[in-house]
Amino acid sequence: MNSVRVLVGTRKGAFILTADARREQWTVSGPHFAGWEIYHLNGSPADPNRLYASQSSGWFGQLIQRSDDSGQTWAPVGNQFVYAGETGTHQWYDGTQHPWEFKRVWRLEPSPTDPDTVYAGVEDAALFRSHDGGQSWHELPGLRAVKGHLWQPGAGGMGLHTILLDPRNPNRIFVAISAAGAFRTDDGGGTWQPINRGLKMDYELPDAAAEVGHCVHSIALHPARPDVLFMQKHWDVMRSDDAGELWHEISGNLPSDFGFPIAVHAHEPDTVYVVPIKSDSEHFPPDGKLRVYRSRTGGNEWEALTNGLPQSDCYVNVLRSALAVDSLDACGIYFGTTGGQVYASADGGDHWTAIVRDLPAVLSVAVQTLP
Amino acid sequence: MIRVVLPYHLRTLAGVGREVALQVDGPVTLNAALDALDTKYPMLRGTLRDPVTRQRRSLIRFFAVGRDLSHDLPDAPLPDAVALGAEPLIIVGAIAGG
């Protein structure tokens, strides 16, 4: 029988939630790395026992932890993230140029085919790769060559938060960076191009044609149709049908098109999930009602999913990496909140239950579907 | 041997108790002590000093013999009592306030 492992990163440690395919009875393991911020925790598709965790602290800096036994034991691996060549500068808040400074790893994305190859998206924004299970890290500097001197951090930091490895084309990678935008490589990471055409930004950027500077919050794709991308931008939910060459808005009837995460159903490439947040000034659900919205039409037409979710006095947030799906049939959907709840739906979002209610603020949720 | 007291999170990371003993060859300076710590406990590399610049992380403090040595030159000799193992070098995570 299949099973599911939900990997949860929080402000104060990591938690691993496991269940069989019915997804009714859950076992909670943790906290792992108690007291540390776990920005992301992810598993290798090529070896589900191989997990990577980004462990950081304002006092002690960045560590990367690796487990080869499904999270029962962990060992620190390499934590040197050195920008390649000349460190370079980016735009600072006062308009001057400021040197790139490594702060933390926001995202870990293991290769679909090699357990020892893993990508790391970091703040200040850059993409690193390891081919030795995380022992050593090397930047892919072509990304910062794409007008990096014009990138400017937003209030939340200039983090590379989304890494999508095209399952059909190993040379194609999509990344997204807070307040810089989305980028694509078609040559395995050597050269990159911005893919931000069509993004609107009346209150985010004055220049509608700017190639960089867009506040992309997250991007998702379906593995069977990787040229179709769905994006939750700062404001606006967007879609591209040509691998990011051009975007168009699909916010439709959402109560707010501000939000952080976006996800695609495991078996229905046109079924998309978002969690609307009231505004960039008020990071909580509209009307105090926690609602996941689902579109079964690839956007524009959205339905509220509320069964089992709090529909009054709810003022949590759902962060960009805290929404994920499993690949069971029916597809399971999972998200974590800044209030410490992890909600799960075993039926594509129709019904929700809280697996746990009182964790530290959830930073990330990743899901492994196990044989 | 010198004695070094670690903050809680680094004890759990290294799997050790409150205090560790380190062999330092040559002059006992802060950098030499931290290098010896990194050598014996490689999982601690980068947690006290930036791995690139080797500068003290801003929220780390070094105390010994009733003094705050955090702003001393890292290659200056540590107090004799630390070098002789009579007193520990205490590594502290700064209080967060509140």
Side-chain angles (χ1 to χ4, degrees):
Chain A
M1 188 183 207
N2 293 108
S3 61
V4 175
R5 188 185 296 141
V6 180
L7 308 171
V8 182
T10 80
R11 287 273 178 220
K12 295 293 178 185
F15 297 83
I16 299 177
L17 321 177
T18 51
D20 65 25
R22 288 188 294 271
R23 294 160 287 182
E24 294 169 352
Q25 301 294 322
W26 290 88
T27 301
V28 179
S29 160
H32 304 268
F33 325 116
W36 294 71
E37 287 189 315
I38 307 298
Y39 263 60
H40 202 226
L41 181 68
N42 210 351
S44 162
D47 175 4
N49 294 323
R50 168 68 62 84
L51 307 181
Y52 293 96
S54 169
Q55 174 187 10
S56 64
S57 144
W59 286 264
F60 307 114
Q62 178 71 51
L63 293 159
I64 301 294
Q65 295 270 358
R66 192 181 88 196
S67 173
D68 295 327
D69 56 10
S70 309
Q72 296 178 61
T73 62
W74 296 85
V77 286
N79 62 347
Q80 289 214 30
F81 291 86
V82 181
Y83 295 106
E86 288 286 321
T87 301
T89 60
H90 62 80
Q91 188 147 300
W92 196 236
Y93 299 102
D94 61 3
T96 63
Q97 288 289 299
H98 189 83
W100 243 269
E101 295 171 338
F102 173 81
K103 295 182 177 67
R104 60 177 60 81
V105 172
W106 283 39
R107 184 88 190 184
L108 290 165
E109 196 64 38
S111 155
T113 55
D114 175 14
D116 285 334
T117 295
V118 55
Y119 292 81
V122 314
E123 177 191 0
D124 290 333
L127 184 65
F128 285 77
R129 182 168 57 198
S130 171
H131 287 303
D132 55 8
Q135 297 290 353
S136 62
W137 296 92
H138 305 282
E139 190 197 358
L140 303 174
L143 175 60
R144 289 194 297 134
V146 185
K147 299 189 173 182
H149 65 290
L150 296 178
W151 303 358
Q152 180 175 338
M158 195 170 71
L160 193 159
H161 51 68
T162 299
I163 304 169
L164 298 175
L165 306 175
D166 189 317
R168 289 185 177 174
N169 177 359
N171 287 322
R172 174 170 282 184
I173 304 170
F174 304 93
V175 301
I177 298 168
S178 279
F183 301 85
R184 189 185 79 214
T185 178
D186 291 319
D187 61 6
T191 60
W192 296 77
Q193 60 173 308
I195 49 168
N196 300 305
R197 203 156 60 92
L199 304 183
K200 298 186 305 174
M201 68 301 268
D202 291 349
Y203 298 99
E204 300 167 32
L205 264 184
D207 177 6
E211 283 191 296
V212 300
H214 301 262
C215 195
V216 178
H217 282 186
S218 56
I219 305 177
L221 60 75
H222 190 281
R225 203 176 60 176
D227 284 346
V228 177
L229 303 176
F230 296 97
M231 174 192 293
Q232 173 68 66
K233 199 163 65 66
H234 190 91
W235 292 101
D236 301 333
V237 179
M238 308 294 290
R239 170 177 174 149
S240 171
D241 292 308
D242 50 13
E245 294 293 330
L246 182 64
W247 297 87
H248 62 276
E249 187 173 2
I250 57 168
S251 305
N253 62 332
L254 287 170
S256 165
D257 59 19
F258 185 91
F260 291 97
I262 191 164
V264 184
H265 190 286
H267 312 300
E268 301 170 11
D270 268 326
T271 297
V272 188
Y273 299 86
V274 294
V275 185
I277 292 299
K278 183 176 177 183
S279 73
D280 51 1
S281 301
E282 296 175 279
H283 282 187
F284 43 71
D287 305 318
K289 299 176 179 178
L290 183 55
R291 292 166 290 186
V292 176
Y293 274 74
R294 176 175 63 196
S295 171
R296 287 179 150 152
T297 57
N300 286 319
E301 300 165 31
W302 300 88
E303 58 179 323
L305 307 174
T306 61
N307 194 323
L309 299 177
Q311 295 305 296
S312 63
D313 306 321
C314 182
Y315 293 93
V316 298
N317 194 1
V318 179
L319 300 180
R320 71 184 84 239
S321 297
L323 172 67
V325 303
D326 69 30
S327 58
L328 293 173
D329 190 12
C331 177
I333 321 290
Y334 307 83
F335 70 93
T337 78
T338 54
Q341 302 86 31
V342 177
Y343 290 100
S345 169
D347 56 9
D350 290 335
H351 302 84
W352 297 87
T353 55
I355 304 174
V356 282
R357 289 191 173 278
D358 299 302
L359 299 185
V362 174
L363 301 175
S364 65
V365 172
V367 177
Q368 294 180 288
T369 307
L370 305 171
Chain B
M1 301 288 275
I2 68 166
R3 298 157 54 201
V4 176
V5 173
L6 295 174
Y8 172 81
H9 283 305
L10 300 192
R11 293 177 216 162
T12 57
L13 186 59
V16 298
R18 177 175 177 274
E19 185 174 304
V20 296
L22 300 171
Q23 178 68 45
V24 177
D25 298 321
V28 179
T29 65
L30 184 61
N31 268 341
L34 297 180
D35 288 345
L37 186 68
D38 283 351
T39 299
K40 189 167 182 180
Y41 302 102
M43 69 288 286
L44 300 183
R45 287 177 186 162
T47 59
L48 299 169
R49 295 173 294 182
D50 182 284
V52 177
T53 67
R54 286 170 56 86
Q55 296 295 305
R56 172 180 58 83
R57 291 196 175 278
S58 55
L59 298 181
I60 299 297
R61 291 290 181 272
F62 303 111
F63 299 166
V65 294
R67 288 175 48 210
D68 182 353
L69 309 177
S70 306
H71 299 293
D72 290 4
L73 292 174
D75 291 317
L78 288 172
D80 288 346
V82 174
L84 297 170
E87 290 286 334
L89 172 67
I90 302 172
I91 301 176
V92 179
I95 54 174

